Amino acid sequence: MTAGPRATEGLDPRDVLHDVFGFPDFRGRQAEIVEHVTGGGSGLVLMPTGGGKSLCYQVPALVRSGLGVVVSPLIALMEDQVAALRQQGVAAAALHSGLDEDERSRVGRDLANGRLKLLYVSPERLAVEGTAERLARRDLALFAVDEAHCISNWGHNFRADYRGLTMLAERFPHVPRLALTATADARTVDDIREQLSLTEAPVFRGSFDRPNIRIEVAPRDNAAAQIAEFMEEAGDGRGAGIIYCPSRAETERTASRLRREGFDALHYHAGMDAADRRAAERRFASGDPVVMAATIAFGMGIDRPDVRWVAHLSLPGGPESWYQEIGRAGRDGAPARALLLYGAEDIAVARKRIADSPAPESQKRLDHERLDRLVAIVEAATCRRRLLLRCFGDEMERDCGNCDACLRPPRLVDVTEAARKLLSAVHRTGGRFGLNHVVDVLRGNATERVSNFGHDQLSVFGIGKNVAEGAWRGIARQLLARGALAQASETNLPIFAATESARPILRGEEPVVLNAAAMEAAKPRKRQRSSFQPPAASGGDTAAFDVLRAWRKEEATRQSVPAYVIFPDRTLADIAAQRPRTLDDLAMIHGVGASKLDRYGLDVLRVLRDAD
């Protein structure tokens, strides 16, 4: 059965929340925001990924008279949002450059005839001549600017097309404007408010904490082995995973290796053909337990709720981008994992990339600040989540208990003397060599290269033979984190030189402390049982849950929509646990709104009966 759009204007927001979306009540600050916008107010919403930002504009748009317009940066994000709303009986459409002429004409007719309640539009399409004029002829409920940090030069995903949104306040001064983002520091927040004329409007700041995500950081030793171990620990056999890679070539190599090892793995990067990228996105959204090896081009708009883990093979661009990327895991609230692997060369290359950038000095200072904050987090011996959330002005009262520093508190050792030796070796060799060569000198390895340069005759040759090679790498990372070492080459090779910041260390005035684990040879960690428990296992029937997932996959394939827009795993788990026998029983399940009850209710009850 299919249901047509329902009349929602003028209804109580909580009735719309229940009847359309199937949720019993708002959470966090949603109710406060919805009431404010429904009453005609504008504002800025800061909530983490998976915090429920969409409902903050979708419910007011349905309750208020007129059309709700949502500015969104990605075609895939718009299409998935529209698909989900149509499943819930909402008359929604998207307007973007990816539409063919027939589709664009159909959306235009529906817009002109008042048949739409929510219109998603890309910023560049909104700027096309005639679009604003067509909207001006409509009764408008609100404008929602999703991923609002894209409007700011200070934001980590700045998009020039977003600057055109400054016209919203000028052309539509009486229409509420709601800006929403999951990652914005104080400077970005101020810029968003300035650009969208929201300086007098309230800021609704929810907690950025995602306590269900376990955060782990480790020096990169053998990335392939480390990722394999992590995938075994973190995967549940049902959900998906994402591996963020530092280059396009690395995405292809990683996906190819994983396929040889028997994983269902894909790759994704901006250099792919647009059709191939969209095919990869659709495959990821299918509901299958796939692994996506991707650059950050696979970014905003990842709505799949059952991503169980996210791994990074190198340092992200900063705390904001890192937090947004790991936030793609565990959107369903179930336990999820995030792993960041990094090496000394990551820090050196990042510092040099910023230094060589043509960006203005103000932007370079900001980029250096971001990198310094991120390095401080990954080199920390204390709760990482507290440091990460502090970047967003979110102070935790106590340690999180769900990061590697909390779960396995490090033992710290004073490595000041070894650090001085390393800095001396860098200086004595002329600041023209990479870490491998410097370590060979310190450990007394008379390699051909060491001998050719006469470095086996230096006073520092062999003075560090009692320190393991892996320990020297840990010390180098710490010195890079402090800025005592810097990349000095004109190439992208990590060739190090000592800086002015090295002087207090060399003089013995400033101690260097390191995690004791970094002073030891790398050892495989004892494998841990995954913390993930399948949703149905907590009180339901796992067999029924799997049968419902199989039915959902068939239905999603038939409709060519992402599996999770039909029902997310949480809803299927509740159905498996409660075993409803009637449509009235099914209507009480979280996530089963009136439209989905009409569409799928009888099929779900049949699947449950067949599973008995």
Side-chain angles (χ1 to χ4, degrees):
M1 299 172 63
T2 35
R6 285 171 161 74
T8 55
E9 291 183 2
L11 295 180
D12 183 274
R14 279 184 168 79
D15 291 338
V16 171
L17 182 73
H18 181 266
D19 294 345
V20 175
F21 299 97
F23 300 147
D25 206 350
F26 293 109
R27 55 193 174 104
R29 303 194 69 178
Q30 284 179 332
E32 179 186 359
I33 298 166
V34 167
E35 181 181 1
H36 176 74
V37 179
T38 300
S42 298
L44 171 61
V45 174
L46 302 172
M47 282 185 185
T49 302
K53 293 187 297 296
S54 297
L55 288 174
C56 294
Y57 61 80
Q58 289 173 344
V59 172
L62 296 180
V63 172
R64 285 176 58 83
S65 171
L67 173 72
V69 181
V70 184
V71 181
S72 183
L74 292 179
I75 291 174
L77 174 58
M78 286 188 273
E79 290 183 349
D80 287 355
Q81 291 269 11
V82 167
L85 286 165
R86 287 175 175 171
Q87 291 284 324
Q88 290 152 337
V90 177
L95 191 59
H96 53 73
S97 59
L99 300 179
D100 61 33
E101 188 58 40
D102 288 343
E103 292 173 310
R104 191 157 48 247
S105 297
R106 184 165 56 251
V107 173
R109 287 194 301 271
D110 288 345
L111 176 61
N113 295 330
R115 288 197 288 262
L116 296 177
K117 198 71 180 86
L118 271 163
L119 176 68
Y120 285 74
V121 60
S122 60
E124 58 271 20
R125 180 56 53 179
L126 187 58
V128 169
E129 185 176 353
T131 302
E133 287 75 10
R134 293 164 72 186
L135 292 176
R137 293 193 289 269
R138 287 294 317 276
D139 178 23
L140 297 178
L142 57 82
F143 281 102
V145 180
D146 202 8
E147 307 290 354
H149 59 273
C150 294
I151 202 173
S152 173
N153 271 319
W154 307 113
H156 62 284
N157 277 321
F158 172 65
R159 288 183 52 155
D161 290 327
Y162 261 61
R163 285 296 201 189
L165 300 180
T166 57
M167 66 85 172
L168 294 179
E170 300 166 5
R171 298 200 61 168
F172 305 95
H174 303 299
V175 179
R177 299 178 307 286
L178 191 66
L180 307 101
T181 180
T183 47
D185 57 18
R187 191 175 337 198
T188 304
V189 167
D190 290 342
D191 201 22
I192 293 170
R193 299 180 77 194
E194 181 71 28
Q195 295 296 324
L196 294 175
S197 299
L198 295 173
T199 53
E200 302 301 319
V203 175
F204 299 94
R205 185 187 297 272
S207 172
F208 280 87
D209 191 14
R210 294 283 303 283
N212 62 311
I213 302 176
R214 177 181 297 181
I215 299 172
E216 300 171 89
V217 176
R220 189 175 55 246
D221 178 23
N222 181 335
Q226 289 170 291
I227 290 295
E229 180 182 348
F230 174 70
M231 290 171 60
E232 182 176 333
E233 292 178 3
D236 70 313
R238 292 188 176 92
I242 303 172
I243 302 175
Y244 281 109
C245 305
S247 68
R248 297 175 179 181
E250 187 60 36
T251 69
E252 298 181 14
R253 284 194 295 267
T254 299
S256 178
R257 174 178 57 78
L258 290 172
R259 285 193 295 271
R260 291 195 301 271
E261 294 171 2
F263 292 95
D264 188 353
L266 312 169
H267 72 272
Y268 186 103
H269 57 70
M272 296 167 60
D273 178 79
D276 292 338
R277 288 201 308 272
R278 189 60 184 136
E281 290 167 351
R282 292 188 183 280
R283 181 77 175 82
F284 187 80
S286 69
D288 291 337
V290 299
V291 177
M292 180 68 82
T295 62
I296 58 172
F298 190 67
M300 294 178 293
I302 307 307
D303 277 349
R304 181 168 175 172
D306 65 333
V307 175
R308 293 272 60 85
W309 55 267
V310 171
H312 285 77
L313 296 186
S314 63
L315 275 183
E320 297 91 349
S321 53
W322 183 37
Y323 199 55
Q324 187 176 59
E325 287 151 17
I326 66 176
R328 285 156 197 154
R331 291 169 60 99
D332 55 7
R337 301 275 288 272
L339 172 66
L340 169 57
L341 302 178
Y342 76 106
E345 61 272 26
D346 296 354
I347 304 172
V349 170
R351 291 200 194 284
K352 185 172 187 301
R353 184 171 58 244
I354 295 170
D356 293 346
S357 166
E361 287 303 315
S362 58
Q363 182 65 44
K364 288 185 178 182
R365 283 195 298 272
L366 177 63
D367 290 340
H368 275 299
E369 289 172 13
R370 283 186 174 135
L371 177 60
D372 290 344
R373 289 200 303 268
L374 181 62
V375 170
I377 295 168
V378 300
E379 285 290 341
T382 58
C383 177
R384 300 192 198 278
R385 195 184 310 268
R386 294 187 77 169
L387 297 174
L388 181 55
L389 293 179
R390 190 171 294 158
C391 297
F392 307 105
D394 202 348
E395 292 286 346
M396 295 179 62
E397 294 183 0
R398 58 183 65 88
D399 290 350
C400 74
N402 198 28
C403 71
D404 58 314
C406 288
L407 294 167
R408 300 183 296 275
R411 180 173 61 85
L412 302 180
V413 294
D414 189 320
V415 295
T416 305
E417 187 59 33
R420 294 172 67 189
K421 291 178 180 179
L422 192 150
L423 290 169
S424 295
V426 168
H427 174 70
R428 297 287 183 185
T429 54
R432 298 185 295 111
F433 297 89
L435 185 60
N436 287 341
H437 183 85
V438 174
V439 170
D440 281 337
V441 172
L442 285 165
R443 287 179 54 78
N445 299 332
T447 66
E448 182 178 352
R449 196 158 186 254
V450 168
S451 299
N452 286 343
F453 282 99
H455 291 165
D456 53 348
Q457 304 302 311
L458 295 176
S459 61
V460 293
F461 183 75
I463 64 171
K465 62 176 60 178
N466 61 325
V467 178
E469 181 178 331
W472 284 121
R473 295 188 180 281
I475 295 167
R477 284 194 308 272
Q478 183 65 239
L479 293 173
L480 281 161
R482 290 171 173 238
L485 282 179
Q487 185 170 355
S489 172
E490 294 302 317
T491 72
N492 283 329
L493 296 174
I495 295 173
F496 298 138
T499 70
E500 282 297 313
S501 298
R503 291 186 181 278
I505 298 172
L506 286 167
R507 290 195 295 259
E509 299 169 358
E510 190 175 292
V512 180
V513 178
L514 193 66
N515 185 343
M519 297 295 291
E520 302 167 0
K523 301 174 184 177
R525 286 196 293 120
K526 183 179 180 180
R527 301 211 167 168
Q528 304 174 13
R529 183 180 295 275
S530 170
S531 62
F532 178 83
Q533 292 295 317
S538 62
D541 184 332
T542 302
F545 179 60
D546 288 339
V547 171
L548 286 166
R549 281 174 57 94
W551 163 81
R552 180 185 64 180
K553 181 179 179 180
E554 292 177 4
E555 188 64 33
T557 301
R558 185 180 67 81
Q559 297 185 45
S560 298
V561 297
Y564 55 79
V565 306
I566 293 177
F567 287 120
D569 275 3
R570 176 180 176 181
T571 299
L572 295 187
D574 286 349
I575 293 171
Q578 298 183 37
R579 303 303 289 264
R581 298 297 180 184
T582 68
L583 290 176
D584 287 342
D585 293 340
L586 184 58
M588 301 305 294
I589 301 289
H590 184 279
V592 182
S595 177
K596 290 190 177 183
L597 187 69
D598 290 345
R599 288 172 181 263
Y600 307 120
L602 295 178
D603 285 342
V604 168
L605 295 179
R606 174 185 53 77
V607 169
L608 286 175
R609 285 196 302 271
D610 292 347
D612 287 340

